[in-house]
Amino acid sequence: VQLQASGGGLVQAGGSLRLSCQASGRTLSSYHIGWFRQAPGKEREFVAAISRWSGGTIDYAEFVKGRFTISRDNAKNTVYLQMNSLKPEDTAVYYCAAKGSPSYNGIYYSSYYAYWGQGTQVTVSS
């Protein structure tokens, strides 16, 4: 499956952005999907994940709980990351990824994901 992340941009602190992760090649509904981010000089870190099919299981990193919302629209073959109350420390390249196995285990770890989008830059100014 090929993933295309989009929706990044420049926003002031307190603002909002919605990132999209669209799939081609295969239906996205059969994959657990995660969002990760990487800031300059830092390691890639987990942001959020949603389970496959109906997306009944969702997980967030502590630092985005209450501000970010992950969702999926299987009809559009797309997973979204709604980001509200953005902070300058949210500045990073955001990546979506699809897990390679049916198991939800390991959802927090980038090494468990088999397919990655190209990333979209999010910059939050103070």
Side-chain angles (χ1 to χ4, degrees):
V1 61
Q2 291 81 45
L3 303 177
Q4 176 84 24
S6 62
L10 173 64
V11 64
Q12 289 188 333
S16 299
L17 285 173
R18 188 177 78 160
L19 305 184
S20 298
C21 177
Q22 188 158 31
S24 59
R26 294 191 67 176
T27 178
L28 197 60
S29 60
S30 61
Y31 293 92
H32 306 302
I33 301 297
W35 284 96
F36 289 77
R37 70 186 187 185
Q38 188 166 20
K42 295 188 176 181
E43 293 188 353
R44 191 169 298 188
E45 62 182 356
F46 171 80
V47 175
I50 187 168
S51 59
R52 62 180 183 164
W53 307 127
S54 63
T57 301
I58 288 174
D59 286 277
Y60 296 101
E62 281 297 321
F63 54 78
V64 302
K65 281 185 179 179
R67 300 189 299 124
F68 291 10
T69 303
I70 189 172
S71 63
R72 66 190 311 152
D73 185 338
N74 291 332
K76 294 184 178 179
N77 226 22
T78 302
V79 170
Y80 301 101
L81 185 68
Q82 177 67 43
M83 306 188 296
N84 298 330
S85 303
L86 283 162
K87 305 175 181 179
E89 51 263 44
D90 294 319
T91 295
V93 177
Y94 284 71
Y95 299 88
C96 62
K99 208 166 173 294
S101 77
S103 171
Y104 193 72
N105 288 340
I107 204 74
Y108 300 102
Y109 306 105
S110 59
S111 60
Y112 281 74
Y113 291 79
Y115 310 100
W116 290 83
Q118 84 289 0
T120 185
Q121 176 71 47
V122 171
T123 304
V124 185
S125 63
S126 57

